[in-house]
Amino acid sequence: MIEIESAMARRVLTATALLLAASLAAQTQVSAQDEATRLVLRNGRTTLVLDKAHKGAAVSLTDNASRQEFIAPQAAPCLFRLAFTQKGDTSGTTQTFSSRDAEAVTYAVEKTAAGGGASLRFSGIGGRKLEALCTATLKQDDPLVRWRISVSGSEPLVLEEIRFPVLTLRATLGDRDDDDAVMAGLSTSGIFRRPGQWYRGARLHADQPGTLTAQFACYYDATAGLYTATQDGKGYPKTLDVVRTADGLELAWVHLCCRELTPPVALDYDVAFTTFRAGSGAAPTDWRDGADLYKQWAIEQRWCAKTIADRPDIPAWVKSGSAILFCDLRSRWGNAESMAGT
């Protein structure tokens, strides 16, 4: 009798282990679905919905575990904007077209053993001989959705910048805003709390090269966060732009090009998005959880091959440390006398 019960217990444990393994496998699988009105991309972390009625714009981005929604309802969402100047024109006048200005869009999804993804081909942009190809790639056991874009055409235009991808985020995450924050990889003061209370038109604008020393950003509350980064190991010029609009917070990477369209202009790096939560279930989510995602990529880059202490190109006096006293004598805080004793 004891042997029978022991055998049954082993079978139950085996069945439980198999169910758990199947559940974990399901959580890490990726899927790309081409439905009648939308494309749905899903990985182990996040689910992204692109709406065909809005020509491929993102209308939903949710964290799978918490079900937190990040995309705001919008009347006229877009996936990208392109800024051009006329070839030979030095006046600075630009022409801007968005994904909404395409005369036609074709959609396709791909499913492979390594993952899958979607491609969106835009033609007749702005009624001109302009085309764009956007791809979103998913990989097994990779939390990121990886975006790329290429632009081509036979118009006498210079492509000045690509604003892509464009996401309009909810001004308030969850049911309150006291734990909402935008974080950018700035050299100083990179956390901006309660961005939903910014006045319309208020902007966080950070350049690389420039104030954006780490090419990533987060938007989060205590429940979950949205992570984005450009995985650019070569240092192409770009801008992180977050703007308060009537709909919410428009977040976009602005890729500076200044290129004619022959050959086609294509991003040489991935623009990554995903969601994240706190590593510990008891701790609230914050920007450090997003920074851990950036670290996984950054430590594989050439600038992290050696620590500062091991680099022979840095003088010893820098490695030994220093102290800097910085004081604004003329600033919004007043003059030196008013700062005495502070």
Side-chain angles (χ1 to χ4, degrees):
M1 183 68 177
I2 294 176
E3 291 180 357
I4 293 174
E5 291 178 348
S6 178
M8 290 179 63
R10 285 196 297 272
R11 292 192 190 100
V12 171
L13 289 173
T14 301
T16 302
L18 290 173
L19 287 172
L20 179 59
S23 174
L24 291 174
Q27 291 176 12
T28 59
Q29 283 186 347
V30 303
S31 65
Q33 300 175 351
D34 186 354
E35 301 179 358
T37 61
R38 62 184 193 166
L39 302 180
V40 182
L41 306 178
R42 182 190 300 269
N43 62 21
R45 289 272 187 105
T46 189
T47 299
L48 173 66
V49 178
L50 307 176
D51 191 87
K52 293 182 179 180
H54 292 296
K55 299 185 178 180
V59 295
S60 176
L61 196 159
T62 55
D63 176 65
N64 293 342
S66 66
R67 301 300 179 188
Q68 173 124 292
E69 174 65 70
F70 288 91
I71 300 295
Q74 307 152 70
C78 71
L79 183 60
F80 62 79
R81 296 192 191 96
L82 310 174
F84 296 92
T85 55
Q86 197 72 26
K87 186 177 178 180
D89 182 7
T90 59
S91 68
T93 302
T94 61
Q95 306 173 62
T96 301
F97 304 117
S98 79
S99 54
R100 299 184 63 83
D101 297 318
E103 293 177 343
V105 187
T106 57
Y107 307 90
V109 297
E110 181 183 20
K111 302 175 184 178
T112 67
S119 61
L120 299 84
R121 188 176 296 275
F122 301 80
S123 59
I125 299 173
R128 310 287 289 270
K129 296 177 182 178
L130 297 172
E131 295 186 352
L133 174 64
C134 302
T135 60
T137 304
L138 307 172
K139 298 179 182 179
Q140 297 286 2
D141 302 317
D142 181 359
L144 303 178
V145 180
R146 300 170 180 272
W147 284 98
R148 294 230 181 174
I149 186 173
S150 65
V151 182
S152 61
S154 57
E155 298 282 348
L157 298 173
V158 176
L159 180 58
E160 299 292 346
E161 68 176 39
I162 301 171
R163 187 175 291 264
F164 168 82
V166 178
L167 299 181
T168 297
L169 309 176
R170 298 191 172 209
T172 300
L173 297 177
D175 56 3
R176 67 181 203 270
D177 70 353
D178 61 330
D179 57 353
D180 293 353
V182 168
M183 177 271 169
L186 305 181
S187 54
T188 59
S189 303
I191 299 176
F192 304 86
R193 303 201 181 274
R194 291 186 167 180
Q197 295 189 9
W198 295 354
Y199 62 85
R200 291 184 186 179
R203 169 178 264 116
L204 166 60
H205 182 95
D207 298 320
Q208 190 182 62
T211 55
L212 190 68
T213 54
Q215 50 190 305
F216 79 102
C218 307
Y219 181 38
Y220 63 92
D221 67 0
T223 300
L226 173 70
Y227 166 86
T228 181
T230 52
Q231 296 192 332
D232 172 18
K234 297 180 181 179
Y236 291 98
K238 66 184 71 68
T239 297
L240 171 69
D241 203 27
V242 184
V243 185
R244 181 67 166 97
T245 68
D247 292 324
L249 295 171
E250 182 180 288
L251 184 153
W253 288 98
V254 184
H255 315 276
L256 307 180
C257 307
C258 194
R259 290 262 310 276
E260 295 182 23
L261 298 174
T262 304
V265 179
L267 285 192
D268 193 30
Y269 51 86
D270 292 336
V271 182
F273 280 87
T274 192
T275 57
F276 62 89
R277 300 177 69 215
S280 168
T285 300
D286 75 4
W287 66 269
R288 297 170 185 84
D289 303 300
D292 286 341
L293 291 168
Y294 184 73
K295 179 180 179 181
Q296 294 175 22
W297 174 80
I299 61 176
E300 300 296 327
Q301 307 311 303
R302 57 183 176 81
W303 56 81
C304 288
K306 293 182 179 180
T307 65
I308 290 178
D310 294 333
R311 286 177 54 179
D313 59 323
I314 296 179
W317 67 266
V318 174
K319 299 178 184 179
S320 64
S322 59
I324 299 175
L325 176 62
F326 179 81
C327 178
D328 284 329
L329 297 181
R330 295 185 179 182
S331 70
R332 64 176 182 231
W333 294 287
N335 55 31
E337 289 77 10
S338 68
M339 297 174 66
T342 62

